[in-house]
Amino acid sequence: MAGMDGVTEETVRRRPATLRDVARAAGVSVATVSKALNDQGRMTAETRARIREVARVLGFRPNGLAQSLLRNRSFTVGLLTNDTYGRFSLPVMAGISEALVDNGVSVFLCHVEDDPRLGQLHVEAMLDKRVDGIIATGKRIDRRLPVDLSQLGIPVIYAFTEPAPGAIAFVSDDAGGARLAVEHLVRLGRRRIAHVTGPASFAVVHTRADACGAALAAAGLPAGAPLIGTWSESWGHAAVETLLAGLEPPDAVFCGNDQIARGVIDGLRERGIRVPGDVAVVGFDNWEIMAGQTRPPLTSVDMNLAALGREAGLTLLSLVDGKPVEPGIRTLPCRLVVRQSCGRPPGG
Amino acid sequence: MAGMDGVTEETVRRRPATLRDVARAAGVSVATVSKALNDQGRMTAETRARIREVARVLGFRPNGLAQSLLRNRSFTVGLLTNDTYGRFSLPVMAGISEALVDNGVSVFLCHVEDDPRLGQLHVEAMLDKRVDGIIATGKRIDRRLPVDLSQLGIPVIYAFTEPAPGAIAFVSDDAGGARLAVEHLVRLGRRRIAHVTGPASFAVVHTRADACGAALAAAGLPAGAPLIGTWSESWGHAAVETLLAGLEPPDAVFCGNDQIARGVIDGLRERGIRVPGDVAVVGFDNWEIMAGQTRPPLTSVDMNLAALGREAGLTLLSLVDGKPVEPGIRTLPCRLVVRQSCGRPPGG
DNA sequence: ATGAAAGCGCTAACAT
DNA sequence: ATGTTAGCGCTTTCAT
């Protein structure tokens, strides 16, 4: 076969084959090889096929660095997070990664903790590598990352972290999630629904508590003050005492997260109160490993973080492609994952 | 000031400044700018300072793509994992990232699940981007990632996942960890020490059980057969029944992970058995959110995964720099984190 | 002490 | 139908 003399699969090279290697082996110019491989220009089908074959045999892969330099586009984005052990940011990341990998985009993961120096370091490293854009994420939506991303000259998207003013951001619809939980309990016939949640310093605590109250009011049910504590199991456990102190103890508890819910369930059980028989419990976060292992398995609000990440990733791509995107905060719906802590499980 | 006419901080450009922009503004050649900025070549200190100043004012940052193309080194590595919700791989990642960021190296995070197609896709994307090396990690040390990394032509390191034959790998010393746990219990005067652990399909189950048995034998204590189950809380809970069925119930339980330990503790409490008063319990993994929230807080074996990641990262850098590294599996020590589930807490 | 020129691997406009 | 040329932004001889 002309132009393929001595070229075999066994020809193992240390240095990866370049366009020039292919051109030489195929007896054509580099430009022709480039066109053949990129389906551009005109040439006989036979030539194109032959060049392709030579490239394949040589194991040619285009050098992305060279392509990026030329196109001014690196097919690379940065993901900044301060959530090292990733309860929240990891599902977001998974969604981003999923959305981007099919477009040939790779993601730099950067843990910045809450350290401005570390944030700066990572951002500069990414800028030097000419990332096409940056996504910022975190563990709560009312705290900024320790680094200013608003003047970088490249597109930036915020997902599950507090955005800079006028930026594009994606957050979960916490109010909607709370409504989902309460409406589920109401539908199941519960009438005295309490709310045990985390510290008042978290914006979501108020968002969810307010929505909870509103949903109860809409259903014509009484809404007591939410029980404010910490995001911990031990708080949930301790809160049970307060819950049972009143004249009319609740027949349902909507909890600010799954750990609190778990503590509540444990506390109830220790007092011989059945879940869901006597009291129904709903959690928030749908943290699989917690919600699934609770006895009984916990019905919980899922924030759809992976979907949120996917949207963020796709939107960043639009931005990179120069498409206009309206700034502002987009709120994505939650969903309720029904298990057995409220009675009437899926089959019932 | 000569050569700085019209150059001010306010000169905001969309297109990032290039070496040529700096050269023009400073009235010198690109070569001189390059040398000035890289502390190379000879020139008057005054020239060097002036060029530096111009570069600073223009906000010049060298284009890493161009540098990488030239140096054949991208200061970029890939991290492959199949542990999407990262109990194990996330601490490893944090260690890797920490070790590399100070060297100006950024990390591509690639979730490959257990999908060979996805693995291939990510690996090819990374190869095209000319990563300097790849680190493979996962959720257990006896399963391979769904993609072959042995013929890539770039350095590869395995951390907490099964390595290819003859590769370089880092794993935790599970046997040592089990020994640590048992010796701690023995030291505290416990004499009938049971072992409740996960499925026999996991290599670590045998490693830890064998080491547990050996440590008991070494202490002259009886070693019953380990109780094999699943890695779940519910299994730990269920195992309590078996534990208490014998004539001589245990005064300590070493558990294969923290979730099992938690189930065991719950089961014991429900039967009115005190922890640590009557029975001491040790977990494995030191999963903070689980071990810290157990009542009482759980003493647990920590695999030092972040340290493992750091070693893996640094070793990869050595490899990239062409330094020779002995192939083989390196085992890194575990440590015991003492809380209150065995009595005699730190202060006691 | 400084600059001109070549080249990393690739693509695209412009020949032929 | 294919090749020549220029150039992305940078570093590095080699001249001057």
Side-chain angles (χ1 to χ4, degrees):
Chain A
M1 201 192 293
M4 283 194 60
D5 321 75
V7 178
T8 71
E9 303 262 1
E10 291 75 33
T11 309
V12 182
R13 297 150 316 286
R14 277 298 116 218
R15 181 181 56 82
T18 73
L19 220 43
R20 216 167 44 212
D21 298 329
V22 179
R24 194 170 329 147
V28 294
S29 76
V30 272
T32 305
V33 177
S34 173
K35 287 176 206 153
L37 264 29
N38 294 319
D39 268 325
Q40 305 219 325
R42 272 186 303 278
M43 66 188 65
T44 60
E46 192 267 333
T47 309
R48 201 181 289 273
R50 186 169 49 90
I51 292 175
R52 287 233 160 111
E53 173 61 11
V54 173
R56 197 190 60 72
V57 171
L58 288 181
F60 171 79
R61 318 227 73 213
N63 185 326
L65 295 170
Q67 293 181 316
S68 297
L69 186 57
L70 205 54
R71 299 190 192 160
N72 216 22
R73 177 107 156 62
S74 64
F75 287 90
T76 277
V77 309
L79 179 52
L80 234 44
T81 176
N82 64 350
D83 183 12
T84 310
Y85 295 99
R87 270 273 293 299
F88 301 109
S89 67
L90 215 47
V92 176
M93 290 183 207
I96 293 171
S97 181
E98 184 207 318
L100 297 184
V101 69
D102 285 318
N103 296 281
V105 175
S106 305
V107 180
F108 285 126
L109 175 62
C110 306
H111 284 310
V112 300
E113 318 295 337
D114 289 306
D115 179 349
R117 188 202 67 99
L118 204 53
Q120 196 60 29
L121 201 63
H122 270 124
V123 167
E124 283 175 4
M126 293 180 351
L127 253 22
D128 286 352
K129 277 152 194 154
R130 294 300 191 263
V131 293
D132 296 329
I134 291 183
I135 300 178
T137 188
K139 40 194 173 190
R140 52 190 285 193
I141 58 178
D142 53 352
R143 283 290 180 277
R144 295 262 175 90
L145 291 185
V147 53
D148 178 24
L149 304 174
S150 59
Q151 305 294 337
L152 261 32
I154 57 174
V156 175
I157 300 244
Y158 297 80
F160 207 77
T161 193
E162 186 179 341
I168 300 171
F170 291 86
V171 298
S172 53
D173 180 8
D174 281 85
R179 207 153 42 230
L180 240 37
V182 172
E183 286 170 358
H184 180 68
L185 292 168
V186 170
R187 208 175 309 118
L188 258 25
R190 308 289 169 162
R191 289 294 170 260
R192 298 184 306 284
I193 302 175
H195 183 41
V196 180
T197 187
S201 58
F202 278 69
V204 292
V205 164
H206 306 285
T207 312
R208 294 173 192 171
D210 292 351
C212 174
L216 288 173
L221 296 176
L227 269 52
I228 302 286
T230 68
W231 293 120
S232 68
E233 219 172 307
S234 54
W235 158 235
H237 191 260
V240 171
E241 176 135 8
T242 312
L243 286 176
L244 300 179
L247 291 178
E248 286 210 311
D251 59 6
V253 187
F254 166 41
C255 300
N257 77 357
D258 290 343
Q259 283 157 275
I260 294 176
R262 165 125 208 208
V264 166
I265 291 181
D266 279 355
L268 290 170
R269 190 187 21 250
E270 284 170 20
R271 287 169 175 79
I273 298 172
R274 291 167 311 147
V275 175
D278 302 316
V279 177
V281 177
V282 180
F284 209 107
D285 291 350
N286 188 34
W287 189 23
E288 180 62 33
I289 200 115
M290 182 63 56
Q293 285 283 311
T294 306
R295 285 170 304 140
L298 188 65
T299 292
S300 184
V301 177
D302 188 301
M303 293 189 282
N304 284 327
L305 293 177
L308 199 149
R310 240 196 19 241
E311 288 304 312
L314 294 174
T315 306
L316 183 61
L317 284 193
S318 295
L319 240 31
V320 170
D321 287 340
K323 296 178 193 141
V325 177
E326 196 74 17
I329 299 180
R330 284 138 174 83
T331 295
L332 266 54
C334 298
R335 71 179 205 278
L336 188 73
V337 176
V338 176
R339 294 199 180 80
Q340 290 145 50
S341 62
C342 300
R344 305 219 204 140
Chain B
M1 201 192 293
M4 282 191 63
D5 320 78
V7 177
T8 71
E9 304 261 2
E10 291 75 32
T11 309
V12 182
R13 297 150 315 286
R14 278 298 117 219
R15 181 181 56 81
T18 74
L19 219 43
R20 216 164 48 207
D21 298 329
V22 179
R24 193 168 331 143
V28 295
S29 75
V30 275
T32 305
V33 177
S34 173
K35 286 176 206 150
L37 264 29
N38 294 319
D39 268 324
Q40 305 218 324
R42 271 187 303 277
M43 67 189 65
T44 59
E46 192 267 332
T47 309
R48 202 182 288 274
R50 186 169 48 89
I51 293 176
R52 286 232 161 113
E53 175 60 10
V54 174
R56 197 189 60 72
V57 171
L58 288 181
F60 171 79
R61 319 227 71 212
N63 185 326
L65 295 170
Q67 293 181 315
S68 296
L69 186 57
L70 207 54
R71 299 190 194 160
N72 218 22
R73 178 107 156 60
S74 65
F75 286 90
T76 277
V77 309
L79 179 53
L80 234 44
T81 175
N82 64 350
D83 183 12
T84 311
Y85 295 99
R87 269 272 296 297
F88 301 110
S89 67
L90 215 48
V92 176
M93 291 182 207
I96 293 172
S97 182
E98 183 207 319
L100 298 185
V101 70
D102 286 317
N103 297 281
V105 174
S106 305
V107 181
F108 285 126
L109 175 62
C110 306
H111 284 310
V112 300
E113 318 296 338
D114 289 305
D115 180 349
R117 188 202 68 98
L118 204 52
Q120 196 61 28
L121 201 62
H122 270 124
V123 167
E124 282 174 7
M126 294 180 351
L127 253 23
D128 286 352
K129 277 154 194 151
R130 294 301 192 263
V131 294
D132 296 329
I134 291 183
I135 300 178
T137 188
K139 40 194 172 190
R140 50 189 287 193
I141 59 177
D142 53 352
R143 282 289 180 278
R144 295 261 176 92
L145 291 185
V147 52
D148 179 24
L149 304 174
S150 58
Q151 304 292 336
L152 260 33
I154 57 174
V156 175
I157 299 243
Y158 297 80
F160 207 77
T161 193
E162 186 180 341
I168 301 171
F170 291 86
V171 298
S172 54
D173 180 9
D174 282 84
R179 206 153 43 229
L180 239 38
V182 172
E183 286 169 358
H184 179 67
L185 292 168
V186 170
R187 207 174 310 120
L188 258 26
R190 308 288 170 162
R191 290 293 170 262
R192 297 183 308 284
I193 301 174
H195 183 43
V196 181
T197 187
S201 58
F202 278 68
V204 293
V205 163
H206 305 287
T207 312
R208 294 174 192 172
D210 292 350
C212 174
L216 288 173
L221 296 175
L227 269 52
I228 301 288
T230 68
W231 292 120
S232 69
E233 220 172 306
S234 54
W235 157 236
H237 192 259
V240 172
E241 175 135 9
T242 312
L243 286 176
L244 300 178
L247 292 178
E248 287 210 310
D251 58 7
V253 187
F254 167 43
C255 300
N257 78 356
D258 290 343
Q259 284 158 276
I260 293 175
R262 164 125 206 208
V264 166
I265 291 180
D266 279 356
L268 290 170
R269 188 182 29 245
E270 284 170 22
R271 287 171 175 77
I273 298 173
R274 291 168 310 148
V275 174
D278 302 317
V279 177
V281 177
V282 180
F284 209 107
D285 290 349
N286 189 34
W287 190 23
E288 179 63 32
I289 199 118
M290 182 64 55
Q293 284 284 309
T294 306
R295 285 171 303 141
L298 188 65
T299 292
S300 184
V301 177
D302 189 300
M303 294 189 281
N304 284 328
L305 293 177
L308 198 149
R310 241 194 20 242
E311 289 303 312
L314 293 174
T315 306
L316 183 61
L317 283 194
S318 295
L319 240 31
V320 170
D321 287 340
K323 295 178 195 141
V325 178
E326 196 73 16
I329 299 180
R330 285 137 174 82
T331 296
L332 266 54
C334 297
R335 72 179 205 278
L336 188 73
V337 176
V338 176
R339 295 198 182 80
Q340 291 145 49
S341 62
C342 300
R344 305 218 204 141

